[in-house]
Amino acid sequence: MSEGDSRRKIGAQVTAKACHVVHLSECARRYGALRTTKVVVGTVVEVNNTRKAPNNRVSTFITADFDIGGGSVKRSTLNIRSVKLFKPDQSTVPSSPAAPIPAVDNADTDLAVPEQEEGEAVLQETSPDEELEFPAQPMMEIGIAAGEQVAGPTAQVATQVWGVEDASFVMAHETKWYADEQATLIDINGSVQSKQFGINTPIGDLLGPDSDIDGKYSRLQYFLLMFQPDQLSAMCQLTNVQLAQQNKHCMSTGELLRFFGILILATKFEFSSRSQLWSTTAPSKYIPAPAFGKTGMSRQRFDDLWRNIRWSNQCPERPEGMSSHTFRWQLVDDFVERYNNHRANTFKPSHLICVDESMSRWYGQGGEWINHGLPNYVAIDRKPENGCEIQNAACGCSGIMLRLKVVKGKTAAEDDGDYNEQLLHGTKILKELVLPWWWTDRIVCADSYFSSVGTAMELQRHGLRFIGVVKTATKQYQMRYLSTLELNQRGERRGLVMRDVDTNYSTLLAFVWMDRDRRYFVSSASSLDAGKPYVRYRWRQIDQSPDADPERLEIIIPQPKAAELYYSACGMIDRHNRSRQDTLMLERKLGTTNWLTRVNLSIFGMIVVDTWLAYSLCTGIGRANGREEKQKDFYTALAEELVDNQYDNVGSRRVFVEANLDNDSPALSRTTGEPRSGLYAHLTPTKKRRKNKDGSFSSNRLQGRCLVCSKKTTYVCSVCKDEETPHSREPWVCYTTKGKLCYANHMATCHGA
């Protein structure tokens, strides 16, 4: 190397590849697809010559301050072989004024759908048969620049239809994407009205956020709201058929609920065999014995139900033409179908819907290659568990599951008859998961498994919005252009819009946003306007002195409204999965070698988690001072209420009531068998007692709020009490003392008296 090399001079300008100056991951965040080819300019601050001892060769190292963009300067020391002298080229020299665009003879150009004509600015066209070098400059520099004078009919088209700035576009599979910064700041397809979730009760109430602060509904009642009632009766009927074949006693609905309670209660203990749960001998002097016999169900009875429980109906014999896999999946199908119908009829989701997948933990035998074990075994590296995959949709605000679809494999999909539908597989699945909410203008948030431009357009045809992350399904998506844009700071974003040629309105938004890495989105809702920044707290070693303590810093990252909306909902199903697998732990504590039991228990676990979410959001438990209740404590309390349920006793006489008493006997109540105060309509004291903290009942009567004046009382209407159902509440009415007219108003309003 000659001594006159200009690169050796202090203050000289040199260039080097960005990947040699900063880490490759930082280059990927800033420069995207140009991470290995981007060249940065620096100023030499130091030159060192180093002689290596073995061969006595001299190496020259140049230290320079490189401008990596966005005002950031990085000092780096590189071998002189990785550094070149900076030479200004024509791209860095101010260009001369643009020559006028030749006029086009056809002055009657159709302005609604502008075609590419002479002089029209086309940024880039992606062709599957041709590889093009994509420029890294901003889009407006490639097309017609803002304020540039353009002559001829092309200027009229640009000005009258889209404006000068909007005439720049890029092509992706015959789809035009326009660079319009102002359009990206306006909500695509208009704003979406915010909605709160709601749960319809059998008595006509609508439960929503903080609507049950007084705790009118118990945990058991919330469970019955989440668990489909027709599933309870179907399970009793199907299980009793199995029990009758073995000469076992039939199971009632109350006993089934007690069985559910014992399943949840078993997750609170450590055991190697289920028989230990019924042991009355303590395993340690510091650990009490489980003694599950106190639940009212013996170990033998529990084992009988465990072996014979049925969740869905299966044909006695496989029909001709049905595959073995489809026939075996019938043991799950009815449960899933009833679950979906129940949620569609009784639950109203918020304006956001999250779509993702869950895993039912299974490490036994299975697969399409053998008619034994799980019919379709799924193992995905990025998933913490292997087993049965269940695709699902959930409310984006509450996290409550809305709809399930079991992944049955290719064989079962072909039996369904829609395997070869001309849609992307993710789009087809997504349409099925959000089917009950078509034409409701809700926003669906999904990950890259479902996301594509085709998905967003297909949901638009069915009255739904969409926001999703794009990774591999890039058909009609301008990934090539967005991946070459240079972003310098976290929170920066750039976008393109797709326009409707008839209405000239923006219908889709494609944008890239820089966080820890670059993330690409397609959206038919919201905009790139500044949203609420999100905050991260991270430990950083600010003081580099020895033994210095790290500091906890607050990192604030700007994000667009579209990204804010997406990330507020996209993690709901993952949170639901963690609650089911790591907090409830049904799948870990209750081992089984029967795939049917495992899959159905996983769906049952989803219902239990939904019960917790509904109860905590409606009652405010966990947010109100003095009323905190952890998720694990809720499961324990729910198990207690399930075990102690009076489902079989509600609406029937007590055991000690004589059989020959008439239903209208003035001596006893027709529902509880307790003494009553008279015949026909009258006020009677409630037969319920207050419950002590230890679970016992006191001698004081229970109080409730009057249906008319909402004041406390211990009296109920006898007519309403005689007509009560398992889901009814106590018909509280004030007594006639002190001139109160609550009873008279109640009789006139409710009973026409």
Side-chain angles (χ1 to χ4, degrees):
M1 192 69 64
S2 62
E3 293 296 334
D5 192 346
S6 300
R7 294 175 296 178
R8 299 173 180 266
K9 297 179 180 179
I10 304 299
Q13 285 191 315
V14 294
T15 61
K17 286 189 175 182
C19 58
H20 295 160
V21 177
V22 295
H23 195 273
L24 186 61
S25 61
E26 178 70 13
C27 292
R29 287 198 305 119
R30 289 175 173 268
Y31 314 120
L34 304 178
R35 58 188 177 275
T36 59
T37 59
K38 175 68 177 179
V39 175
V40 294
V41 180
T43 303
V44 178
V45 296
E46 185 179 358
V47 179
N48 293 321
N49 295 323
T50 303
R51 186 180 301 275
K52 295 183 179 180
N55 51 20
N56 207 29
R57 295 184 61 180
V58 177
S59 298
T60 302
F61 292 91
I62 294 179
T63 302
D65 291 334
F66 292 94
D67 182 7
I68 59 176
S72 299
V73 177
K74 174 71 173 180
R75 176 167 293 187
S76 180
T77 301
L78 302 176
N79 193 295
I80 196 171
R81 291 178 295 178
S82 300
V83 178
K84 295 183 179 180
L85 184 64
F86 174 69
K87 295 181 180 180
D89 53 16
Q90 294 181 355
S91 62
T92 61
V93 179
S95 58
S96 58
I101 299 177
V104 181
D105 295 336
N106 185 7
D108 298 329
T109 304
D110 186 4
L111 300 183
V113 186
E115 300 292 338
Q116 180 182 349
E117 299 180 1
E118 184 178 2
E120 184 177 2
V122 180
L123 295 185
Q124 191 61 269
E125 181 172 358
T126 303
S127 174
D129 301 328
E130 182 180 5
E131 291 292 331
L132 299 176
E133 290 295 331
F134 216 87
Q137 290 88 350
M139 181 177 298
M140 297 312 302
E141 297 177 4
I142 304 173
I144 300 177
E148 184 178 349
Q149 298 296 326
V150 183
T154 303
Q156 299 177 5
V157 172
T159 303
Q160 297 178 13
V161 181
W162 290 298
V164 175
E165 295 87 355
D166 299 338
S168 301
F169 62 87
V170 289
M171 294 289 292
H173 301 94
E174 301 181 356
T175 302
K176 288 185 179 181
W177 292 91
Y178 293 89
D180 189 345
E181 184 177 355
Q182 295 299 324
T184 61
L185 300 179
I186 303 174
D187 287 343
I188 302 297
N189 300 310
S191 60
V192 176
Q193 182 180 3
S194 178
K195 301 182 181 71
Q196 296 289 351
F197 76 90
I199 307 172
N200 293 319
T201 66
I203 60 175
D205 291 344
L206 181 64
L207 297 178
D210 297 330
S211 62
D212 190 22
I213 296 295
D214 296 334
K216 298 179 181 179
Y217 293 87
S218 65
R219 300 172 185 83
L220 176 58
Q221 288 174 317
Y222 275 97
F223 176 81
L224 295 176
L225 289 176
M226 293 291 103
F227 199 96
Q228 48 274 31
D230 54 345
Q231 178 67 22
L232 287 175
S233 57
M235 289 183 66
C236 289
Q237 180 181 358
L238 296 172
T239 304
N240 287 336
V241 172
Q242 301 295 322
L243 293 172
Q245 294 176 356
Q246 302 181 23
N247 295 324
K248 305 292 184 180
H249 293 293
C250 292
M251 178 182 66
S252 64
T253 304
E255 189 177 20
L256 177 59
L257 294 177
R258 183 176 293 109
F259 176 78
F260 288 159
I262 295 175
L263 291 178
I264 300 174
L265 195 61
T267 63
K268 304 301 177 181
F269 296 86
E270 295 292 338
F271 56 92
S272 58
S273 174
R274 285 198 306 269
S275 60
Q276 296 177 359
L277 296 174
W278 276 263
S279 174
T280 57
T281 303
S284 170
K285 65 178 181 179
Y286 302 111
I287 302 176
F292 272 25
K294 295 183 295 185
T295 61
M297 182 177 292
S298 66
R299 170 194 166 190
Q300 182 63 40
R301 182 60 174 173
F302 180 86
D303 289 341
D304 290 340
L305 298 182
W306 177 266
R307 288 190 298 265
N308 296 284
I309 193 77
R310 290 294 181 271
W311 306 76
S312 301
N313 185 33
Q314 185 188 42
C315 300
E317 296 182 359
R318 180 171 62 88
E320 185 177 356
M322 178 183 291
S323 66
S324 174
H325 289 76
T326 303
F327 178 65
R328 292 158 64 198
W329 279 119
Q330 285 185 342
L331 295 169
V332 181
D333 289 342
D334 289 348
F335 189 17
V336 174
E337 183 179 358
R338 295 189 190 100
Y339 181 100
N340 294 339
N341 293 336
H342 180 66
R343 292 302 163 86
N345 295 329
T346 62
F347 188 83
K348 296 180 179 179
S350 64
H351 62 288
L352 295 174
I353 297 178
C354 172
V355 178
D356 209 332
E357 61 273 341
S358 304
M359 297 295 293
S360 175
R361 187 174 185 265
W362 176 258
Y363 289 92
Q365 198 170 22
E368 294 188 354
W369 61 278
I370 189 172
N371 293 329
H372 177 69
L374 186 64
N376 184 48
Y377 183 83
V378 178
I380 305 176
D381 291 339
R382 67 178 184 275
K383 297 296 181 182
E385 303 288 356
N386 298 338
C388 177
E389 183 180 1
I390 303 175
Q391 294 161 335
N392 36 36
C395 174
C397 292
S398 65
I400 296 175
M401 288 290 186
L402 303 176
R403 196 168 179 84
L404 308 178
K405 178 178 174 59
V406 179
V407 179
K408 301 178 182 179
K410 180 179 178 180
T411 304
E414 290 175 344
D415 291 342
D416 292 339
D418 58 350
Y419 183 75
N420 294 321
E421 185 178 342
Q422 296 300 319
L423 284 175
L424 291 177
H425 179 68
T427 305
K428 184 188 69 172
I429 298 299
L430 186 62
K431 285 179 58 180
E432 184 176 349
L433 289 174
V434 299
L435 175 62
W437 300 279
W438 286 4
W439 306 108
T440 59
D441 201 35
R442 286 180 166 87
I443 301 175
V444 180
C445 300
D447 60 12
S448 59
Y449 182 89
F450 307 94
S451 297
S452 66
V453 174
T455 298
M457 298 174 68
E458 185 67 20
L459 289 186
Q460 272 189 309
R461 297 188 187 101
H462 295 88
L464 289 173
R465 311 288 188 93
F466 180 78
I467 303 178
V469 175
V470 177
K471 290 184 179 179
T472 57
T474 58
K475 184 177 181 180
Q476 295 182 290
Y477 188 83
Q478 192 45 261
M479 176 68 77
R480 191 173 187 184
Y481 177 78
L482 293 176
S483 64
T484 56
L485 294 176
E486 182 176 333
L487 305 175
N488 296 313
Q489 301 293 336
R490 286 191 179 186
E492 288 190 27
R493 61 265 189 186
R494 298 284 296 278
L496 304 170
V497 294
M498 180 190 297
R499 285 198 172 99
D500 186 281
V501 294
D502 297 327
T503 62
N504 194 31
Y505 290 120
S506 301
T507 57
L508 283 183
L509 171 66
F511 67 96
V512 55
W513 174 59
M514 177 180 172
D515 187 21
R516 283 185 294 243
D517 50 13
R518 299 165 73 99
R519 300 176 186 179
Y520 302 90
F521 294 83
V522 60
S523 173
S524 57
S526 195
S527 66
L528 292 189
D529 197 12
K532 180 181 179 181
Y534 73 91
V535 180
R536 291 197 187 112
Y537 295 93
R538 295 292 184 269
W539 289 100
R540 294 291 185 266
Q541 190 67 47
I542 305 300
D543 188 356
Q544 299 296 329
S545 60
D547 300 328
D549 294 331
E551 299 180 16
R552 190 168 178 83
L553 299 182
E554 181 184 71
I555 302 176
I556 302 176
I557 302 176
Q559 60 179 344
K561 288 183 178 179
E564 177 190 357
L565 204 60
Y566 173 80
Y567 286 111
S568 67
C570 70
M572 287 299 175
I573 292 181
D574 292 332
R575 186 189 70 170
H576 195 285
N577 293 337
R578 289 192 297 270
S579 297
R580 174 175 55 88
Q581 295 175 341
D582 299 335
T583 306
L584 182 59
M585 293 193 296
L586 273 175
E587 301 171 1
R588 294 182 179 272
K589 290 299 184 70
L590 296 174
T592 179
T593 58
N594 188 348
W595 72 271
L596 168 64
T597 303
R598 169 60 64 237
V599 175
N600 285 310
L601 274 184
S602 296
I603 300 176
F604 170 75
M606 294 180 184
I607 297 176
V608 176
V609 175
D610 288 340
T611 305
W612 152 251
L613 294 173
Y615 181 80
S616 62
L617 292 172
C618 293
T619 62
I621 290 295
R623 301 191 306 275
N625 293 330
R627 302 181 64 232
E628 291 83 0
E629 182 173 342
K630 301 297 183 182
Q631 188 176 169
K632 286 188 175 181
D633 298 332
F634 170 82
Y635 294 146
T636 304
L638 175 61
E640 178 183 342
E641 294 187 17
L642 285 168
V643 170
D644 297 336
N645 78 88
Q646 301 296 321
Y647 198 93
D648 294 336
N649 296 333
V650 175
S652 61
R653 292 191 180 95
R654 298 284 291 272
V655 176
F656 59 80
V657 179
E658 295 182 5
N660 58 358
L661 286 178
D662 184 76
N663 287 339
D664 291 330
S665 170
L668 301 175
S669 170
R670 69 172 64 178
T671 57
T672 64
E674 297 285 348
R676 58 187 295 162
S677 304
L679 192 60
Y680 306 118
H682 61 279
L683 287 174
T684 180
T686 182
K687 306 306 182 291
K688 294 186 177 181
R689 303 290 177 178
R690 290 184 180 180
K691 197 173 184 180
N692 298 323
K693 292 183 178 180
D694 59 357
S696 61
F697 291 91
S698 67
S699 59
N700 299 324
R701 295 187 184 274
L702 184 67
Q703 288 183 330
R705 297 286 180 178
C706 175
L707 297 176
V708 180
C709 67
S710 299
K711 293 185 178 180
K712 288 186 177 181
T713 179
T714 59
Y715 287 84
V716 296
C717 173
S718 63
V719 177
C720 298
K721 188 66 178 176
D722 290 341
E723 297 174 352
E724 71 176 2
T725 65
H727 301 285
S728 299
R729 294 182 296 174
E730 285 287 276
W732 303 102
V733 181
C734 289
Y735 200 68
T736 55
T737 57
K738 299 182 181 180
K740 292 185 177 181
L741 300 177
C742 296
Y743 179 63
N745 294 334
H746 172 73
M747 293 299 297
T749 303
C750 299
H751 304 297

